[in-house]
Structures are given as structure tokens and as C-alpha cells.
Amino acid sequence: MARVQEVLRIPAESAPVVDPRRRRSRLRKVALLARRNRLGAVGFAMMLFVLLVAVLSPWLQRYDTNQVFQTANPEFNPTASPLDIARNPKLSAPFTLNRWERPLTRQHWLGTDQFGRDIYARIIVGARLAVIIGIGASLISVASGTVTGLISGYFGGKTDLTIQRLVDAIQAFPGLVLLLLLVSVLEEPNLTFTVVALGFLGWAASTRIVRSTVLAVSASPFVEAARSYGATDMRVMLRHVLPNVLAPVVVIFSISIGIYILAEASLSFLGLGPADQTTWGKMVNAGRNALDLNPWESLFSGAAITIAVLAFNLAGDALRDEMDPRLRGR
Amino acid sequence: MTEGAGYRGSTRGRFTRRGFVRGAMVGGAGLAGMALIGCRSQEKPAATPVPAKGATPAPKAAAQPSGEPAKGGISRGVFLGGNVFDSTDVHRAFGDPTSWLSNYVLNKVVRYKNPDTGEIEGDLAESWEAPDAATYTFKVRKDAKWQDTSLTKARQVDATDVKWHWERQAAGKLADGSDTPFRHSSFYKTIVKIDQPDQFTIRATLDKPNGTFLDRLAAYFSTVPNRETTVKFEVDHRTVTEDAMPASGAYTLKVWRSGEPIKFQKNANNFRKGEPNLDGWVYPMLFEDPNAHRVAFEQKQVDAFSSPDPSLTKAIIEANKGQMWEVLTGVANTVFMHLNMNEQFKDVRLVRAMNLAFNRRAMIQTFHQGLGQVSGPVTWLQEGYALTPDELTKMDGYRVGRDEELKKARDLWTAANGAALGEIQIKIPDTWLALWTDTTQVIPEMFNKGLGVTQFKSSRTTYNEEIIPNLANGKFPNWFGWTSQVSGPDPRAGLHTGNHSKGSTNFQKINNPELDSLLDKAMLTVDLKEAVDLNRKAQRLLLENGHYGNVVLYNYISRSAGWNYFKQNWKVAPATGTPGQGYNIFGGHLAPKNVWIDQNDPSFKGRPTVTL
């Protein structure tokens, strides 16, 4: 029994005290890992870049996302007749918008959109929103999925049956259709709701994955041992099962971020994203109406989506490879 | 959820990253596909045109006796954002689409020969007499018949139909005696006596002389529906069906169903012989997405196009030089902001502040690239009555100097404790957002910056689900978008209905005795100069009070393009290198006479066949 306790309990005093030599060896380990999984390393670097951009966006964005750039218009005539304005639209306002400016100018690195707003600033702010939505929705889906997956897999029986049929019901419904339904019918699409709706839809899949891992872990001898010495279900679940299902949970979490970023972009593209926020999906949508005249807005925002999704997918992939002993080193 | 496939796969077999990522990719592709599918019609798309040899063979056009080509064909068009009907009952529809559609199918008592100038001619009436402005006698034509249905049995249209049309709206009651909102009831209530000396004669006696009576009867919303059918569909009036609107006019409704293309077919029994030219119209239920509309236009799947971005239309015309026409048209659907004075904006100083803070000229630039002009309570389309541009630019909300306007706005906002309103939602209808996606950012930004606050937010709404059902009960949201189009060149009746304490569209419950008096007097007079003077006084009063929450902003000018083979309904026809002019005020009823497909025009080559 003492041996079992020794195996299962991690004493508080065992908290690591990192000495410099050990830190150096960790850095070496990271370098080794990066060399072994170059694609993963690229993914992590890209992910860090996206996260950094999101965190530092207030300092990086240069302009307010809604700042409209305009030029004084000497032709303005407030009393011009509509017929004259039809012939010369410059008569209608004391300024003209600097719309669709080309990229790579000192003032507008990525050009301006149809309303004369800086595309670079909007993409930077969009990154923050993408990360908030991606991480927020992943947290909700993974956290809730872990709880229900744990309960379902550990207790089995009717509890498992009930939870799994609910999961079946949600998964049987086309995900995007359900999402569109939620967003368009139940609530105005604000940021919080978008995050919660995406997280809710991911819950079912997280539950199923966690449950399957719990089923495997629950049958392990150390769980049997913990039960045999009289540990409560709660203690067994939290102290013995949960730590052993964390690896797939971390992987689901990291890969889901990219998927949620993509899902939010799709919602925004369809006009159902957060209405009052600058999002990449909305930018792709806004820019595509005049792709042949000004492709920049769609192009750059599309590229941002690609980079972010790729970054989180590659990083999640690499994490999976490292955490699964069967794939390690492949 | 997009990842669902990946997750499901993992539980059946092993949880692999490849499966997971593949699932994500499939999901992503699915989303992209969904986006595209969302832009497409449920109707089978017409074949992509192929040039010259493979072009869809055009039926050989028969020559007119004069040597001109036969005027016929079936047109495919797009009514952007308009295929949304709140009722099949033209009397009870508060949205414009039903009225728009009814102008192809039904007749009015009289109609505009030229909607922009207000010249009136008979429609169902072959003649009329008005010895004074309080008595009008109409002789109904004898050759107008209802479309043959089990309810109408192809009977003649007669004075009884007109009598019912007036009486029903004045009473504001359904056949079972229940009360219901009728959009124009206050106007019809002014008819105090209706006589019908014989089957084809009807006389209206008004409570007092009304110089705008004929204008109202000629307006686009004054079509006379079939009484038996309308009564039968009273309960189901929100379910669109072609059976609910049998025709008496140029076209019959072949298909009018939710989610299906609207199809009009030439009415062989139209009393106007030789009309309509077109054999039919097809209005697909698509193109909430202007990009899809544009592609369809370039492929000649639709015959005309107007982008929300006028520069795009211009670019398409330039790219197809010599094959397309360009027409500029003032858009009668006026851009408004409605602030609910029954609920959030009870203090008139708040709506005055909002009127000042709205930067009309900036929005004309932002959304329409400068193609538009600010409008006062009477829009510039009704030029004769509108305040002069000189005067308007000295009024609150219209000055050129924005600093002065914003200072005044902030003072008013502070004085009326605007901060106490908390979060203020200015909602935008989805049909507007389909054209100008970022409006939900642009509008709150303008107010937050202008008033120096952070309380303005914006989100999506719909006309049929949130705005229209809540107009009569006064619980409508604050919203920005289009409001009913200007119906004719004389604005008096519209101004009266919307702003008079007894007006049937006075949803803000305005009650200003001075305003009432001016509006009443303006309606009574038959002296045009006096009418204009009184009307302008009423406008000044409205402006002093921030339009009482119905803040008129501007009217924009739409640039549209069409293939040369498509002969349209123009006020001034386009010529090579010179844009034409469309009717600023809705002239849909004139389409049967003016619109046709010229199959001999070189641009017709490659147009896919359109069938009803």
C-alpha cells in the first residue's frame, strides 16, 4: 500500500527547484525537439507570433481600426443639385475618402479598404479577436467536455448512456447549420455569444474523446489499486484519472483553436459574426465584392486566417506527436 | 461543428492528428462551400453562356409592321434585399415589397404618367371629375377583368371593388370585425361619404378639400386588390402565395412562394391592348450577395445590375464598352434613422443631439462614394416642396462646419443626461448589411466619437421580424436603413400621415398642435404656393425638434448597368458615352409599356434562355 501511495501521490515538497544547469538542459531539450520535428517548431514559432501580435495589438496597430483617412475636397459644393452630383460625385462632401489605397506605402503598409480605413490596423486587431475567440471557445469546449467525458467514462452505465446519447444527438446535427441556427435565432451575434456558441458545439466532440481515454485509464491497475484502498470516486477521478487524460485534452485544446478561428471567420463571412468587431472573416467578405479593383483587403485578411489556423494546427500536431509515445520520434 | 468529422473518426478508430486535421480541412472546405451555396439560388442555374457558335439560340424575332423588332422576351432581374414580404394584403403590408410587386399585377384608380413630375392619368378610372377638391367622381373602365380563379371567376372590375378598397382601409377592420393596423387608414378615413350611382361610377366626398387626393390614389401603394380573394386570405396574409393576389393588370403572378423565384406571366386579358411587351419576369430569390449578382450579370443570367459600390458598376461598364448602358437614378427609398421616442429617446433634446451628430455627408461618401445629397424632412426628390439647399445648410444636422454641430450635439446630450440611457443599440436591417457589411461598426463609431461617449452599439435586425411588427405598438428598435420610398412628387400626405397626431403612421406618437395645424392647412389648400409655404413651415418645425426621431438623412443616387439588349424604363434614355436617367420616384407600373428584350441587339448573343 505504501508503495502504491508513493506511486500515486506527488508530494508538495517535490515542487521543482530549477537550477541553471537544469534550465540549460531544458533549452537543449527544446532545441533537440525542434530539430526532430521541424514542422512543429515552425508551427510553434508561428503560433507564438500570432499570440504576440494579439497581445501587443494595441501597440502594433498604428491607427484606430475605424479611423477613416480622407483628403480635403476643394470641389465640394453643399448646394449642388443631385443632377450635378450624379455627374461629379466630388461635389457632395468636403472631403473624399482615401479608399482602396495600394499597399506598401509609408502611411498604409497594407493599403486601405473601401471606407478608407487602414487594412494593417484592422488585421492586427482582428488577430486579437481571432485569438480570443479561438482560445475562449476551445477552453469552453475542452473544459466542459473534460468534465462530462470524465463523468461519462468513469461512472459508465446509465450516466454514460445518457451523456453519450446527448453527444450523439448534437453530433448528428450538421455543425455549421446548428451554429448558424444558434447565432441567427437565439441571440444577436456579439463576441461573448459567438465564443459560447462555438464552445458549446465543440463540447460534444471533446466529451467523446475524453470519455474514450477515461475508459482506457479507468481499467488501469493503479486506478483499481486506488479504489481498493478506499479512495472516493471524486478522489480517484481528480487525482488518478484526470492527470492521465490531460495529454489528449491539451492536444484537443491546441488544435481546436485553429478550427474555431476558421469557424468564426466563416460565420463573419456569412454576416453572422460579432457585428461590432473587426474580424478577419468580415474583412474577407467586405473585400471580395471588388476583388478585381482592390484585392488587398481579402487577400491580406485571408492570409492572416491561413497563417493563424496553420500555426495552431501545426503546433497542436507537434504536441500530439510528442505526447503520444507511439508517435514520438517518427 | 467543423471538427466533428475528425472527432467522430477518432472515437471509432484511434485518435490521430491526421484524422483530426483532415476533419478540420473537410470542415473548412464545407464552410467555404456553404458560403458559396448560400449565395446561390435554389433554382437550377442557367447554363453558362458560351460565345458565338455555342450561344443559346435566340428565337427569331418577328418584325413589327414598322420594321422594328418584336418587343417581347422574358427578363430575369434582381430586387436586392426586396424579396421579403410582410403581407400578401396590399392594404396591410407595411413593407414596400408587396406594394412593389402589386404594381405589376394590379391597377390603381389613377396612376402617374410621369412619377417625377406628378402628371396623372386614369388607370382603372377612364375619367374623373373634381368640381372642388372635396368631391371626386370616377368612371371605372368596363374592360378591366380579374384573372380567372375559383373566387373571381374572371368577373369585371367595377366600382364596388373601389368602394370596398376605400371602405376597408378607412374602417381598419377585417371581415370578422377585428381591428388591425392598416398602413393608410388615416388617409381613407378622410372619405366621409361614398356613393355608387351605378356599377361603374363611384363618388368620394372628403371631410374637407384635399389637394393631394389624386396623388395618394396614384401612389405605388394604392393598388386595388381583389376583394373576395383578399378577404379569403385575411388570416393567412403572411404566407406568400400567388393565389392571394389575382391580377387585373399587366401580369399575373405565376409563382409567388417562399424560397422560390417570383415569376410574372403576361396577362393575356390586360385591358391595355399591346401591353405588356415582356412575356414575363423572373425574380430569383438570390443575390442578397451583390457579388453573386454581379457574376450573374456578367454571364447575362440577369439583365441589369447595380452595385452598392458605384465604382464597381462603372468598372463593369468600362470593361464591356459598347455593350452596356449606364443609368443614374435617385433612390426613392430614403435613408433614415429612427430613434424610438416612446421608449429610449423620450427627451426631444436627445434626438436633436443625434440629428446633429449624424454626419450625413460623410455617410454619403462612405456608402455611396459621394453619389447622393442630404435630404430634409421632405427629400430632394420632391424638389418643389423641399427646403432649398441654401436654407437646409443653415439648419441643425446639415451645416458644413462639423465642429459647431458636434459641440451643440454634445451640449444637448449632456443637458438631457444622455449617459443615463446606458447602452444604445442602433440596429441595422439585414438587407442593408448584405450591401454594406461594416455598417454595424461605422454607425456606432460615428456617434461615440461625435458625442464623446462609448454607449453606442449596433447589431443586425430584420424588417419583418423586429421592425415592422413593432411599428404600430411603438416598441420598434432604434434603427438605421431605408424607409418607405417617396411615393410621389407631392409630399404633403406622407408628411401628414407620419407626423400628425392622428396620422396612421405616426409611430412616434408626435403630438404638436402647431405642427398638426400646419399639416392640416397644407392638405386643405389647392393653392400650390400656399401648400409649399405651409409645408416648409412644418419642415422647419420638424427640424427644430430633431425630426421627432424620424431622422431623415439623405437620398443616394444609384448607378445601374444593363446589357444593351435590355430596354428599360427610363426617364432619359442613355446614349453612347452619356448616362441615362431613371425615374427617381417608383415607376414600376410603367414597365409593361417600356421594358422589353431586343433579341436583335448584338449584346443578346450568349444570353442563356430564360423560361417561366
Side-chain angles (χ1 to χ4, degrees):
Chain A
M1 187 61 77
R3 187 169 164 71
V4 172
Q5 279 176 309
E6 197 184 342
V7 170
L8 296 177
R9 285 182 172 177
I10 303 166
E13 59 270 22
S14 71
V17 179
V18 184
D19 72 67
R21 270 177 307 175
R22 225 170 146 186
R23 190 177 293 140
R24 267 201 302 278
S25 78
R26 275 190 188 171
L27 284 173
R28 204 174 299 131
K29 203 173 169 187
V30 169
L32 266 170
L33 283 174
R35 201 174 305 156
R36 200 164 63 206
N37 189 343
R38 285 174 196 275
L39 206 55
V42 170
F44 268 104
M46 286 165 69
M47 186 182 77
L48 277 176
F49 171 73
V50 173
L51 289 173
L52 268 177
V53 169
V55 171
L56 300 176
S57 61
W59 297 277
L60 293 175
Q61 67 186 73
R62 298 183 81 210
Y63 306 114
D64 185 285
T65 48
N66 289 313
Q67 185 177 343
V68 173
F69 290 85
Q70 54 197 37
T71 307
N73 170 28
E75 291 182 57
F76 171 52
N77 175 3
T79 58
S81 76
L83 199 60
D84 290 337
I85 290 171
R87 293 186 192 117
N88 178 13
K90 284 192 172 175
L91 296 171
S92 67
F95 58 85
T96 52
L97 299 179
N98 300 355
R99 64 197 304 256
W100 290 349
E101 290 210 348
R102 290 186 164 276
L104 303 178
T105 64
R106 191 177 296 170
Q107 200 180 7
H108 304 294
W109 294 347
L110 301 181
T112 57
D113 69 2
Q114 59 168 337
F115 297 151
R117 299 173 301 188
D118 187 73
I119 293 175
Y120 166 79
R122 295 177 69 75
I123 284 185
I124 295 294
V125 170
R128 187 172 59 202
L129 209 77
V131 167
I132 289 172
I133 288 171
I135 292 180
S138 287
L139 269 177
I140 290 173
S141 74
V142 169
S144 56
T146 302
V147 171
T148 47
L150 197 59
I151 293 169
S152 179
Y154 182 79
F155 288 109
K158 282 184 183 168
T159 311
D160 186 37
L161 192 76
T162 310
I163 293 175
Q164 291 314 306
R165 294 303 73 79
L166 193 62
V167 166
D168 284 343
I170 291 177
Q171 289 199 322
F173 210 87
L176 185 67
V177 176
L178 193 58
L179 191 58
L180 290 176
L181 201 71
L182 278 175
V183 172
S184 62
V185 176
L186 288 182
E187 187 76 27
E188 285 152 9
N190 60 31
L191 180 60
T192 313
F193 186 80
T194 306
V195 171
V196 172
L198 287 169
F200 167 72
L201 287 172
W203 163 80
S206 301
T207 301
R208 184 145 282 177
I209 292 165
V210 172
R211 172 191 172 265
S212 61
T213 317
V214 168
L215 284 177
V217 173
S218 296
S220 306
F222 66 89
V223 173
E224 285 299 318
R227 279 193 185 126
S228 66
Y229 83 81
T232 61
D233 287 335
M234 184 65 84
R235 185 179 178 84
V236 175
M237 276 199 292
L238 295 181
R239 298 299 296 269
H240 306 303
V241 181
L242 183 61
N244 286 288
V245 299
L246 278 183
V249 167
V250 169
V251 175
I252 304 166
F253 174 74
S254 59
I255 292 183
S256 298
I257 295 172
I259 292 167
Y260 289 125
I261 290 174
L262 196 63
E264 183 282 321
S266 309
L267 276 184
S268 291
F269 181 85
L270 295 171
L272 294 168
D276 53 352
Q277 307 278 345
T278 302
T279 67
W280 290 339
K282 209 153 75 167
M283 289 178 74
V284 175
N285 188 24
R288 84 199 162 94
N289 287 336
L291 269 181
D292 46 353
L293 297 180
N294 182 54
W296 309 114
E297 188 178 10
S298 286
L299 195 69
F300 290 130
S301 49
I305 295 170
T306 307
I307 289 169
V309 173
L310 192 66
F312 284 103
N313 279 351
L314 288 178
D317 238 5
L319 208 60
R320 166 77 183 88
D321 289 353
E322 284 312 310
M323 287 185 149
D324 187 339
R326 289 164 296 189
L327 295 173
R328 196 174 292 153
R330 277 192 187 179
Chain B
M1 220 23 263
T2 57
E3 72 272 28
Y7 280 137
R8 275 198 296 276
S10 70
T11 54
R12 279 196 294 270
R14 198 162 59 90
F15 169 53
T16 68
R17 68 172 176 84
R18 273 124 202 137
F20 197 99
V21 173
R22 190 168 55 242
M25 288 170 73
V26 168
L31 290 175
M34 188 71 164
L36 294 173
I37 290 162
C39 305
R40 287 212 166 262
S41 162
Q42 291 174 357
E43 186 192 32
K44 199 175 172 184
T48 307
V50 285
K53 196 178 167 190
T56 312
K60 195 157 183 167
Q64 301 273 71
S66 61
E68 281 184 21
K71 294 179 174 178
I74 298 167
S75 175
R76 261 169 73 106
V78 169
F79 191 67
L80 269 181
N83 292 350
V84 181
F85 301 93
D86 64 315
S87 175
T88 56
D89 185 338
V90 292
H91 293 161
R92 292 158 75 194
F94 278 80
D96 276 334
T98 305
S99 300
W100 159 80
L101 173 133
S102 74
N103 275 264
Y104 290 76
V105 177
L106 303 173
N107 300 99
K108 291 158 281 197
V109 176
V110 291
R111 66 180 200 170
Y112 286 119
K113 199 170 177 179
N114 178 340
D116 284 355
T117 61
E119 198 182 340
I120 284 172
E121 63 181 3
D123 198 359
L124 283 176
E126 59 185 8
S127 65
W128 68 91
E129 286 172 5
D132 54 62
T135 316
Y136 293 82
T137 307
F138 299 92
K139 286 273 180 198
V140 177
R141 57 192 312 146
K142 292 175 180 161
D143 50 357
K145 285 185 177 175
W146 293 109
Q147 179 187 344
D148 193 3
T149 69
S150 59
L151 290 168
T152 67
K153 298 189 171 55
R155 70 169 175 80
Q156 276 180 301
V157 180
D158 60 18
T160 315
D161 289 305
V162 179
K163 186 168 183 272
W164 166 82
H165 169 68
W166 290 345
E167 284 176 342
R168 181 176 186 246
Q169 295 186 83
K173 286 184 188 300
L174 301 180
D176 63 6
S178 58
D179 291 320
T180 193
F182 280 77
R183 184 175 170 188
H184 304 289
S185 62
S186 63
F187 164 68
Y188 288 99
K189 278 191 170 81
T190 64
I191 307 175
V192 290
K193 192 175 165 209
I194 301 172
D195 301 306
Q196 193 186 338
D198 60 56
Q199 193 189 352
F200 294 99
T201 307
I202 188 158
R203 184 182 308 116
T205 307
L206 311 184
D207 57 350
K208 47 200 164 194
N210 182 345
T212 71
F213 188 69
L214 287 177
D215 279 282
R216 291 288 282 192
L217 296 187
Y220 68 92
F221 49 71
S222 296
T223 45
V224 181
N226 176 265
R227 62 177 191 273
E228 299 92 342
T229 313
T230 306
V231 168
K232 192 194 170 207
F233 283 88
E234 272 185 348
V235 176
D236 288 330
H237 75 113
R238 293 198 191 280
T239 309
V240 292
T241 164
E242 60 276 4
D243 297 333
M245 200 185 283
S248 62
Y251 294 96
T252 60
L253 268 168
K254 190 176 179 199
V255 180
W256 188 25
R257 303 260 164 173
S258 177
E260 289 184 43
I262 304 169
K263 292 182 178 177
F264 297 96
Q265 189 169 33
K266 185 175 187 167
N267 182 2
N269 295 323
N270 183 26
F271 59 81
R272 285 195 171 84
K273 297 302 166 205
E275 288 184 28
N277 290 316
L278 275 183
D279 300 313
W281 298 81
V282 180
Y283 283 94
M285 296 295 288
L286 78 167
F287 309 138
E288 283 286 317
D289 174 3
N291 210 35
H293 182 189
R294 175 214 167 145
V295 173
F297 172 61
E298 287 177 323
Q299 293 181 354
K300 301 181 185 173
Q301 291 187 46
V302 294
D303 302 315
F305 171 72
S306 179
S307 170
D309 188 328
S311 58
L312 188 63
T313 313
K314 190 78 180 171
I316 294 169
I317 295 168
E318 295 288 320
N320 293 278
K321 251 193 181 127
Q323 292 192 79
M324 286 183 184
W325 45 256
E326 176 188 358
V327 165
L328 293 155
T329 308
V331 176
N333 268 346
T334 306
V335 181
F336 266 67
M337 174 175 60
H338 291 264
L339 304 168
N340 193 332
M341 289 193 74
N342 307 306
E343 299 197 328
Q344 205 165 16
F345 287 90
K346 284 181 177 158
D347 188 327
V348 78
R349 289 173 297 180
L350 295 169
V351 293
R352 286 178 60 201
M354 295 288 284
N355 175 45
L356 283 153
F358 197 102
N359 192 343
R360 290 168 167 83
R361 293 186 182 89
M363 291 305 112
I364 292 172
Q365 279 292 317
T366 302
F367 297 124
H368 317 287
Q369 284 77 64
L371 274 175
Q373 179 60 297
V374 297
S375 284
V378 167
T379 73
W380 56 257
L381 287 93
Q382 295 156 313
E383 198 178 356
Y385 287 83
L387 293 173
T388 62
D390 268 343
E391 184 178 356
L392 206 55
T393 52
K394 294 179 183 75
M395 311 292 278
D396 279 0
Y398 299 88
R399 290 183 192 90
V400 175
R402 286 298 297 163
D403 292 344
E404 186 189 344
E405 298 264 277
L406 290 178
K407 186 185 174 304
K408 209 170 170 184
R410 287 181 184 206
D411 290 346
L412 282 166
W413 192 257
T414 309
N417 196 16
L421 269 58
E423 183 181 300
I424 299 168
Q425 277 278 348
I426 307 290
K427 296 203 168 186
I428 320 285
D430 52 354
T431 44
W432 177 283
L433 286 177
L435 307 185
W436 295 286
T437 318
D438 261 354
T439 311
T440 43
Q441 275 191 298
V442 172
I443 297 292
E445 173 74 7
M446 174 177 62
F447 287 121
N448 284 330
K449 266 200 178 143
L451 293 169
V453 296
T454 54
Q455 63 199 112
F456 285 90
K457 299 260 187 288
S458 187
S459 59
R460 186 176 61 98
T461 185
T462 59
Y463 281 107
N464 281 355
E465 285 158 27
E466 191 172 13
I467 298 172
I468 292 173
N470 289 311
L471 288 174
N473 65 24
K475 291 181 178 167
F476 53 91
N478 306 312
W479 61 280
F480 162 87
W482 297 287
T483 293
S484 290
Q485 51 196 326
V486 174
S487 59
D490 188 333
R492 282 181 284 171
L495 214 59
H496 190 278
T497 316
N499 299 288
H500 192 280
S501 58
K502 290 182 181 154
S504 55
T505 56
N506 175 12
F507 304 124
Q508 303 278 16
K509 300 188 175 61
I510 303 165
N511 190 358
N512 181 331
E514 191 186 351
L515 184 62
D516 280 359
S517 164
L518 286 167
L519 294 170
D520 281 338
K521 283 181 191 162
M523 290 288 284
L524 285 174
T525 185
V526 286
D527 176 339
L528 184 65
K529 189 180 171 308
E530 190 190 5
V532 172
D533 284 346
L534 288 163
N535 202 271
R536 286 183 175 163
K537 278 181 188 162
Q539 288 182 66
R540 286 178 200 116
L541 205 53
L542 284 169
L543 285 171
E544 281 169 22
N545 290 286
H547 303 243
Y548 282 114
N550 301 320
V551 187
V552 185
L553 300 169
Y554 62 85
N555 288 77
Y556 62 91
I557 299 161
S558 153
R559 173 179 283 136
S560 49
W563 291 99
N564 282 344
Y565 65 75
F566 186 46
K567 307 298 178 191
Q568 254 282 20
N569 199 29
W570 295 302
K571 188 163 72 175
V572 178
T576 313
T578 314
Q581 270 180 266
Y583 286 105
N584 292 334
I585 296 171
F586 181 67
H589 61 282
L590 302 177
K593 191 175 173 183
N594 301 327
V595 180
W596 55 288
I597 305 282
D598 182 356
Q599 298 175 347
N600 293 338
D601 190 279
S603 67
F604 186 77
K605 194 180 277 182
R607 181 183 186 254
T609 304
V610 184
T611 52
L612 280 178

